[in-house]
Amino acid sequence: MSFGYNAHFASSGRENVLNIADFAKDLLFGMKYGLNEESEELAIGKVPIIFVAHSMGGLVVKKAFILGQNDNQYKETITSARAILFLSTPHRGTNLAELLNRILAVSVFNHSAKQYVAELRQNSPALQDINEQFRQIAPQLTIFSFYETQQTAVGPRKMMVLEKDSSILGYPNEISKPLEADHHNVCKYTSPQDPNYVSVRNALKSLLRKLTTALPRQPSSAPAIDKLGIGVAMRNVENLLAVSAAPDDDYDFFRGRWMPGSCEWILSRPEFLSWLHNETTSRILWVHGIPGCGKSVLSSFVISQLQGMGYNCQYYFFRFGDHTKRTVNALLRSLAYQTAVQLPELRSLLDQMSGETVKLDKAEGRTIWQKVFVSRLFKVRLQQPLYWVIDALDECEAPQLLLSLFSSILSSQIPIRIMLVGRKTQILSSAFQRMDSSILINQLAVDNAKEDLELYVASEVEYMRGDSRLKARTKRTVCEKAHGNFLWVHLVLKEILQCHTEAAIGQALEELPTDLEPLYQRMESALSKTERPGDRELSRLILTWTICAQRALALEELSEALKPDFTSVLDLRVTIGQVCGDFVVVDGRGRVGMVHQTAREYLIKTPGLHHSITPRDGHQELLLRCISHLTNPSRKSRGENTLTLSARPFLHYAATSWSYHLGLSAASPDHTILLALDHFFESNYVLEWIYLMATWNHLKTLVYASQSLSSYLGRKTRVDAESSPLTHRLQEKETLDLWAVDLVKIVGKFGTQLVKHPRTIFSLVPILCPTTTAVFRHVGKKMAVVSVTLDGFARSKWDDCLSKFSIGRDTQSLRITTIESHFAILTSDGTLRLYDSITHQPVRKVVHGERVLSYKFSPSYEKCVTYGFRTTKVWSMKDSRQIASVANPITAKALDVSFGNNESSVISCSDDRAIRRLALDAEETVWETLDCDMDFDDAEGRQLNSPRRVAINMHGTQVALAFRGLPLFVWDINSGDFIGRCERDSDRNRSGRDLYSEVGPVCWNPVTGHVLGLYKDGCIFKWYPWESESQELRTVAAGIQCSPDGTLFVTNNTNGLLQVWNFHHFALVYQLSYHIPITDLALSADGRRVYDLRESFCNIWEPNALIRLAEADEKSSETTSTTGGSTLLSLPSETSNDILEPLTALAVGDRVWSYCSGDDAGVLRLKRMTDQKSIQVVQGFMPIDQIALSDDGKYLVTADLGGCLNVSMIDNSGPCPRCTRLFETKTGSGLQQLLISADAEHLLLVTVTFTELWSLISKTMVTTRPNSSPSSRWINHPSNSAYIIQCTFDDFRTYQWSTLDQMGCHHLAKSQQPSAEQQSPRGEGWQRPSASFPMSPDEKTDAVESAFISQDCCYLLLQTSWPSGERHRTVQYLMTRIEDLSISDSHNNSDVEAREIPLAVAARIEKVLGFASKKPRRRSHGLTGEPESEVEEVLTFLDKHDWICTWGVRSDFAANTDIRRHFFVPQDWLNLDSVRLATISRDGKFFCPRNGEVAVVGNWLQNEWVD
């Protein structure tokens, strides 16, 4: 299908008002509703889409993609787009005015004014908006960018229409290529042989091949259009696995080296045939051979054969030259992706998993294996086997781990055949011997490739000069000496083919070495003799890059990396062959690598060579070159042209890999590295670098850099200890040490905002950092003078507390559990609340109706079982719906429960030692006692009593029980068999009745199957039930929990000490001292956070140590690479936190007082406008519930949770304010509102049942009345201080302040209420309802949540809510004019029009803060702009992305949807309590509780943020 946009070019002289967005909408309409010539629907969106766009058409496609993503009408259509080919597209426009005319000149014959032409100017708002939004969604696409290289004829002369920089986006995965054409002919080709046509055609063919091979397997009877459908499910899988394609590049590379007729010998080998054709069992084939014998080519041949047979084949190539392709994590994610492409069953399971699980790109290999393969793929029933071909197993960083995982393939319902190919090393041989003996493992040696070798030699000798006799001799001699080594043959033949005489060939044949190492020596010696002196440094540098680079560099990257030493290499591909000989090769995609791993090892390990490379020195040199590239003075600052800069191919490598080289560099006595790093971090280039990482969504590089900096400083300190202290460069070390901490904290606290708004690193982020940090000292201190100001709380250093919120004092918190992207808290009233792990807000809850003794989530987290005193209930966690309810056995009490039988049943273990099953799919749901014999006597003749501790594993297959005076036992639940017992070495020599140490809390590692627990003496142990030995760790602990991914566990003692340990090494990673005892604790699914329950609060900790571990691609337990394990294992992070009591009430003053706050301990603090710090004025006992301050600052009214109300007068005459209590009274329960009259003479006290009026002058109650509208809000009349207004859901009622007599009533004439689907923002008191996560509402009434009066007293905003039909509330924001609330007789009892604010605005609101008056600034990037004189009334609110925003209130506000962002609120400020209390003052300051203090943000109204 083709599309052309109509720009009215024929209309000479008439201004064209169409813009790029108009053309984009036209494109979307045509795709959605277009018909073919037979008037049939085109069905676009049902198949994958590839866009090919020329010139401005590329901008139209980008805009269409952006609009379609956000429009449900077109979303299904546009999300089918898989790739875009841009042909000379002006992505960034131009700053040359004449260029606009050039584009017109080559497109049309008319130069009338065009709106879209104005949008092509460089950095125009339209282009910036398109680029910024498209950058967020571009990773979903494969992008090719072709650019012109020839001038275009425009009239009598020629000129370049578009330069390269404007035609390239500069994204990391973008593929760019020049075309030898002008702007006209870049999309027009002379013939099928036209090189430009071939380039574009090959790109399209590559895309089509990937799409067709990635098509889901469908029944043959399915319509053709369904066979091509990929849909949203596959997109979700790609996002979950962070993989979007099979490893085709590696397959193509080795497949291209295959010769017809070769490798066919394997098809007749019985080992291979047995592995291939036995379809009933899973098995492994280990193919091994010497280096260079063609194993990888053989792998590609087998893959091709399997695909040709129609088998489900997945494959992977470990590559020694690319560290990103050597991990177990990368292998498993790739296999999972390829399998999901071919198996709809797995694709559906992973699609469901994607909604609840964090991305797996940083998960440990064991976690991926357990979650994706064991828990999902292995349960799919399919007769046809899956074939996995894995090449270069010996290049895997953790082959032993991989083989241990593969040991569990026997449990798969699908037969799985794994072909493992690699060298036969001692490590691999031992690992195969340790595998489960029940797994069928066949070995096949690649020693029968003589025919393949002869075929290869014959094909190469064919091109040799000389007669047939010479060729035959050459072939015979080479084959005899080859010993099956293809690499040796390849290198030898290249040398022979360079000979010019028959005598030279004969001599070469006689002198041929018979092994690779002598051959390498010969190659290196010949290279040293033939290279020119000027080429030696070039050769050394290329070899250094090739050997030490983190991944294989492309020719374009290497060319730039060689600068400034070698700035004009004419043909780098040719140069590499000349100066590096056969040591370095360039593959078909232009990537540079070593010819073989053995060649790399030879140059590294052989001393005294002319071309030997020392890795540590090499890494230091590459580090310095990367830093030099990042600090190039030619780069512009503040990210102004970063997209153009990112088109420089080496920039991406330098920015993402310098920390890798730092980690492997030597800490020498000289300070070269130290000074280079100090220069980088003391300049603005460091912010440019962070900006790039945020732009590319690669913030984990900051964590890697932090690890490398810390490791380098440790090594450097040890080296400097041997030199004079005067030479230690302490200032530079301090700078790097501060940045090592800052980088991790920036990711943890601001990562979400940085990815969405990368430019915040230049302004907002530094301001929000603590004052002693490097980033604040570098930028924040300067920005705070002219930008947003921050005050009111201590922020001298980072803290580890991410959030703290109250669970409620009316109930006790008992248990906390983490489940993927949520965490759950069980309270003593039998309520289980589920919280969002990002916002920390409750999203839904289930109410059991009695105290819950035990609960457990299913492995898929779709179900939950709660076991109470009388009943057991099973819940669907998607909608909080009760699935089943059954009575419990009267004589038994369950100590633990779990799901079993693929979540079709519930398993319990009770205090009567009985194991019971509850079948959820049975006709009658009752508890069934299983046959599990636990009635045997112990060695001393004692009968087992009731178990003290019970833990059932995640899948309900095993149960661990601890009895008093006995060791820990484990039974198999399904068979009822006894598995084993865990005995301590120290118990075997004990005598007496209690022979064994008493076991305390126990839990299961959900991934490894170990039991983890504590003895009563506080010692930690882990034990694998099928082994007799256990491992112990001497410490003092009272509680223990394992992380969901099995890599960490957390313990606590009775004094509140929290410790995080590495599970595999029993190494302490982090500990935190906090004096309040812990009730329960848990680790997050991603391992970044620790949750604990202390008293009535939930604390969430996010320390640097855990962020660093979580951001690592592979956990240290998996890898044996040269990078080494994490230093955190031996250097635990220790923190002591003194967290203040959380604030429970906050009132903001207008004149004398800045604010008054009350906390959970009953402490009141006042802060005057003129003071720097707040002052404690009252010390109570109960938590403060509400506070009211009079406008004149004389009266302070407080109410606590005990129902006590205090009215005090404030003396502000001295340096320290004093509060004198006037009177106190009891309010009872259910206090809703306190309100002081504008003249400070009366106090209104509103509870659920009554309303009281008090006189502050006489200190007496004036009147009390029943509260007929409990869900209402009261406000002072904005124009008459003698009156007060009650805002109910249906009307406004006006009362006299002095008597509370009603003076009038105005009915609220509302606009039509929106449906629940139109709006579901989180209103005050209602926590983020949505279709996915509904709340069980606490009440069923319509309510007025809040009321706000504009500062010019012209408007009143009501926030109302009502119960919707889907168990959550719908919120509506209504605006009315104050003048309509007149109390005159003519207006009394009249209707008041209440107009709804635009839905586009309401949908953004998270919490309304109030009205403010501001002087608007002109929009620009970041926090800049000059003020205008006009004063504007704005509504301020916190949006759903944690930004403080304003919306201008005008007479036509219903049509105004312009929302302005000003600054974002850090994530660690926000929790349920702080959002509820956050507000603004009349002068526009923002107040938000944070860690027991009040953060005050000023000057933000005058600074508007625009990306």
Side-chain angles (χ1 to χ4, degrees), residues 794 804 1074 1137-1143 1159 1490-1493:
K804 179 178 182 177
Y1074 186 25
N1137 276 69
D1138 188 16
I1139 295 183
L1140 303 176
E1141 293 290 344
L1143 298 186
D1159 65 21
R1490 182 193 181 277
N1491 188 23
E1493 299 175 297

Side-chain angles (χ1 to χ4, degrees), residues 430-442:
S430 300
F432 274 107
Q433 291 175 1
R434 288 195 299 268
M435 292 185 71
D436 193 335
S437 59
S438 61
I439 300 178
L440 295 175
I441 303 176
N442 293 333

Side-chain angles (χ1 to χ4, degrees), residues 703 707-708 710-711 1048 1062 1065 1067-1069 1104-1110 1112 1114-1119 1121 1123-1132:
V703 180
Q707 288 178 300
S708 297
S710 298
S711 177
L1048 303 169
N1062 178 279
H1065 304 288
L1068 182 62
V1069 175
N1104 285 15
L1106 297 189
I1107 295 176
R1108 287 171 176 165
L1109 284 178
E1114 289 280 307
K1115 303 296 187 295
S1116 59
S1117 61
E1118 290 190 12
T1119 179
S1121 68
T1123 58
S1126 171
T1127 58
L1128 296 172
L1129 297 181
S1130 58
L1131 297 174

Side-chain angles (χ1 to χ4, degrees), residues 1023-1091:
W1023 169 58
Y1024 194 61
W1026 282 271
E1027 298 177 355
S1028 59
E1029 299 297 325
S1030 63
Q1031 183 178 349
E1032 294 187 11
L1033 176 66
R1034 290 288 176 183
T1035 186
V1036 178
I1040 188 168
Q1041 291 293 339
C1042 191
S1043 65
D1045 65 359
T1047 61
L1048 303 169
F1049 65 91
V1050 59
T1051 62
N1052 67 277
N1053 67 12
T1054 56
N1055 296 323
L1057 176 67
L1058 179 153
Q1059 294 178 309
V1060 179
W1061 308 81
N1062 178 279
F1063 174 82
H1064 303 288
H1065 304 288
F1066 264 24
L1068 182 62
V1069 175
Y1070 170 79
Q1071 70 177 26
L1072 178 140
S1073 300
Y1074 186 25
H1075 64 279
I1076 300 178
I1078 296 175
T1079 303
D1080 196 24
L1081 73 174
L1083 282 156
S1084 65
D1086 59 7
R1088 297 166 64 107
R1089 298 174 182 173
V1090 183
Y1091 300 81

Side-chain angles (χ1 to χ4, degrees), residues 626-853:
C626 288
I627 294 295
S628 176
H629 190 81
L630 294 175
T631 56
N632 191 331
S634 64
R635 294 184 56 196
K636 295 186 178 181
S637 61
R638 296 183 59 79
E640 294 175 1
N641 201 23
T642 304
L643 287 178
T644 302
L645 286 170
S646 60
R648 291 164 51 183
F650 183 63
L651 179 61
H652 184 267
Y653 180 89
T656 56
S657 301
W658 69 262
S659 59
Y660 167 78
H661 296 298
L662 174 62
L664 297 175
S665 298
S668 56
D670 69 82
H671 304 300
T672 306
I673 294 179
L674 186 66
L675 294 177
L677 291 173
D678 180 70
H679 171 64
F680 174 63
F681 281 101
E682 285 288 359
S683 67
N684 287 330
Y685 296 117
V686 63
L687 299 185
E688 283 286 330
W689 169 64
I690 297 175
Y691 171 81
L692 282 173
M693 295 301 96
T695 302
W696 295 334
N697 195 13
H698 214 284
L699 287 180
K700 63 181 180 180
T701 300
L702 273 65
V703 180
Y704 298 157
S706 172
Q707 288 178 300
S708 297
L709 284 171
S710 298
S711 177
Y712 169 76
L713 288 174
R715 300 196 306 270
K716 181 65 173 170
T717 300
R718 290 192 292 272
V719 171
D720 287 349
E722 301 178 2
S723 61
S724 170
L726 299 177
T727 64
H728 285 186
R729 295 281 184 176
L730 297 180
Q731 183 175 349
E732 287 82 358
K733 289 181 180 179
E734 181 187 9
T735 298
L736 299 186
D737 191 43
L738 288 174
W739 273 108
V741 176
D742 288 0
L743 292 176
V744 178
K745 289 299 184 182
I746 287 173
V747 173
K749 293 185 179 292
F750 309 115
T752 302
Q753 295 294 348
L754 273 174
V755 171
K756 296 178 181 177
H757 312 284
R759 292 181 184 274
T760 54
I761 189 59
F762 298 115
S763 51
L764 288 177
V765 169
I767 296 172
L768 296 169
C769 292
T771 54
T772 59
T773 61
V775 65
F776 181 86
R777 296 192 315 195
H778 189 65
V779 179
K781 187 181 297 185
K782 303 173 186 176
M783 291 298 301
V785 178
V786 297
S787 183
V788 174
T789 61
L790 215 57
D791 192 15
F793 67 100
R795 58 187 192 105
S796 61
K797 61 181 180 179
W798 297 110
D799 61 64
D800 290 341
C801 184
L802 183 64
S803 181
K804 179 178 182 177
F805 62 90
S806 173
I807 302 166
R809 285 184 170 269
D810 55 343
T811 186
Q812 180 184 359
S813 57
L814 302 176
R815 291 275 308 280
I816 185 167
T817 308
T818 58
I819 47 171
E820 301 296 353
S821 56
H822 296 84
F823 62 95
I825 297 177
L826 175 69
T827 52
S828 56
D829 60 358
T831 301
L832 182 67
R833 291 177 174 84
L834 199 65
Y835 295 79
D836 187 282
S837 62
I838 296 177
T839 64
H840 313 149
Q841 305 297 326
V843 292
R844 56 190 178 275
K845 65 181 178 181
V846 296
V847 181
H848 187 93
E850 60 177 333
R851 189 180 181 95
V852 173
L853 303 177

